[in-house]
Amino acid sequence: MPKSSLQSRKKQFVRDAIFDAAIELFAARGFDETTVEEVAQAAGVSRASYFRYFSSKDDLLAQNVLKYGLALREAIKACPPSFTPLDIMRETVLSVAKQSVNHPRTRQVIDISRRSASATQAHMSRMIDVEDGVAAAFAERMGSSSKDELEPRLLAALTLSAMNVAIMSWYRGDSQQLTAAAEQVLSRLTQIVCDPTAPKQRKEDQRRR
């Protein structure tokens, strides 16, 4: 194995060890109450080593969002050429939902973010980068000249919104499976967009019950 590849794997191993140690501490003690020194000690690295991988606690927590963005972009690129933009959005949401639910830290990171305003801010600080990346991936698939054109930007926003609603539905326990929550969100979105009378009909049905 090339030396550069071994070095890269070693760096990723250390980065993951620091991240995992931090999440355990944040979950047990709280984001605001945990210091960088405590994270470094739990990960078995020096304070200086910590800062070679992460610039702050905020930066560390935001790494999860960046990985999420990468998963979304890869899912968009992996869709068959014959897929329509809406097909791509649907497949991306379902694919990333499967990945997210299998990640051991997904629920922990949400717990940490909901317990602390500063953790929420840290976790969401890179979402604009994620949206830009997703819009760029849609633009490339659609042959658009810019990620800021209307269609790729709208598809990016819809994709992220659908993912967020599905994840929070699963987190609250409305759906036991994240993929089921994603399916429900996508189905409801299709009904709203394709059948403008659907929300009104649901309200009437609820009143009759």
Side-chain angles (χ1 to χ4, degrees), residues 66-85:
L66 295 178
K67 288 182 179 179
Y68 170 64
L70 177 60
L72 289 167
R73 296 197 304 274
E74 289 179 343
I76 292 169
K77 293 177 181 179
C79 287
S82 60
F83 273 24
T84 66

Side-chain angles (χ1 to χ4, degrees), residues 163-181:
M163 281 297 310
N164 183 59
V165 173
I167 288 171
M168 293 314 298
S169 175
W170 164 76
Y171 176 80
R172 290 192 305 267
D174 299 339
S175 296
Q176 293 188 349
Q177 298 295 326
L178 179 51
T179 50

Side-chain angles (χ1 to χ4, degrees), residues 80-175:
S82 60
F83 273 24
T84 66
L86 288 178
D87 289 336
I88 295 171
M89 186 191 79
R90 176 182 175 80
E91 181 63 25
T92 296
V93 169
L94 293 176
S95 174
V96 177
K98 291 177 184 177
Q99 294 179 49
S100 298
V101 77
N102 290 325
H103 195 288
R105 300 294 181 187
T106 298
R107 188 174 289 275
Q108 274 186 312
V109 171
I110 298 173
D111 284 338
I112 292 164
S113 297
R114 288 176 65 86
R115 283 161 41 196
S116 164
S118 55
T120 299
Q121 184 177 356
H123 193 232
M124 300 301 292
S125 62
R126 302 300 293 272
M127 280 305 297
I128 187 62
D129 297 327
V130 170
E131 184 174 336
D132 281 347
V134 173
F138 271 115
E140 183 178 348
R141 282 300 304 260
M142 299 167 64
S144 300
S145 59
S146 169
K147 61 180 174 58
D148 292 321
E149 288 188 9
L150 184 61
E151 287 191 12
R153 184 59 68 176
L154 181 58
L155 286 164
L158 283 172
T159 301
L160 292 173
S161 294
M163 281 297 310
N164 183 59
V165 173
I167 288 171
M168 293 314 298
S169 175
W170 164 76
Y171 176 80
R172 290 192 305 267
D174 299 339
S175 296

